[in-house]
Amino acid sequence: MNTTPSKTTDLSKTASPADDPEKSSADAAVTEDPTATAVPAEDRDEAAVPAEDRDEAAVPAEATDQAEDDGLEPEDLEPEDLEPDPFTEARHGVGAGATAVVSAALGIVALTGAWSGRVAAERETLMGQIQTAGGSSAAQQISEIYGDAWHTTALVNGVFAVLALLVGAFVLARPAFGTPATRPQPAWIRAVALAGVALGTLGVLISAGMYFDLFLSLPVAGTPAG
């Protein structure tokens, strides 16, 4: 009876995963989660960038240019340093705005009259009465009592009008001289300054007409009958 020797398997000779790296890597690839999606290259690049580099990349180009002008390096800038100061924002244009308001106020005073002009006119009236108390003609009394007070009022109003004109013109011309401003002049400041210039110009014209008796001439005393 012929017997065939049975084939036995030597477990010690079985290939292990460590002996076959290609098979082990293939098995690992099979065991991966099939629902996982591939991460785009851009997301992987952003994820690989540290947080500090992303903060530096967030620095605006204008701030970088300003830092280069000041001799600083862009990496020296901090994000909190780029935020505008609220107090600086509130103070912007305060001086120019106040000056423009002063110009408009002086123009209004030039047109309506000031208490200083009224006091000066009353003083001229009193001096005219004193000078004509000893006896004088009617024309001289009109000139000394009424004419001088009228001209004094016109002169005082003209001074206020010239001041309004000069102050308003200064506010309008200020941005063109000196250190250039970082931001343009607010529109309301220019509007108020233009109003002051217009009122000042009108006041100068009216005061000149009053002083030289262009609008109203002095009364003329009639010749007594006889």
Side-chain angles (χ1 to χ4, degrees):
M1 181 175 177
N2 295 329
T3 60
T4 304
S6 60
K7 295 181 180 180
T8 60
T9 303
D10 190 358
L11 296 178
S12 61
K13 296 182 179 180
T14 303
S16 61
D19 298 336
D20 192 354
E22 295 181 356
K23 184 176 180 181
S24 61
S25 60
D27 294 339
V30 172
T31 57
E32 289 182 355
D33 187 5
T35 61
T37 58
V39 180
E42 297 179 356
D43 296 341
R44 289 198 300 270
D45 295 340
E46 292 180 357
V49 178
E52 297 178 357
D53 296 340
R54 289 198 296 271
D55 294 340
E56 293 179 358
V59 177
E62 296 180 358
T64 303
D65 297 339
Q66 183 65 28
E68 293 178 355
D69 296 339
D70 297 339
L72 299 177
E73 295 297 333
E75 55 270 14
D76 295 337
L77 295 176
E78 297 295 337
E80 58 270 13
D81 297 336
L82 302 175
E83 298 179 359
D85 187 4
F87 296 100
T88 303
E89 295 290 331
R91 289 194 300 266
H92 177 67
V94 172
T99 308
V101 172
V102 169
S103 173
L106 289 174
I108 295 175
V109 171
L111 294 178
T112 59
W115 67 269
S116 56
R118 183 170 59 253
V119 170
E122 292 177 355
R123 181 178 181 277
E124 289 295 331
T125 300
L126 180 60
M127 291 181 62
Q129 292 174 353
I130 294 174
Q131 291 176 0
T132 58
S136 58
S137 62
Q140 184 179 2
Q141 290 180 358
I142 293 173
S143 176
E144 294 292 337
I145 297 175
Y146 176 78
D148 290 349
W150 176 266
H151 295 160
T152 301
T153 302
L155 182 62
V156 173
N157 292 343
V159 171
F160 280 98
V162 171
L163 289 177
L165 181 60
L166 294 178
V167 173
F170 171 77
V171 174
L172 294 176
R174 175 65 181 84
F177 301 95
T179 304
T182 57
R183 289 178 296 176
Q185 193 177 61
W188 71 269
I189 295 179
R190 296 184 60 84
V192 175
L194 284 173
V197 170
L199 293 174
T201 303
L202 185 60
V204 169
L205 296 176
I206 294 176
S207 298
M210 291 175 58
Y211 189 83
F212 294 104
D213 299 329
L214 299 178
F215 303 138
L216 296 174
S217 59
L218 293 176
V220 178
T223 303

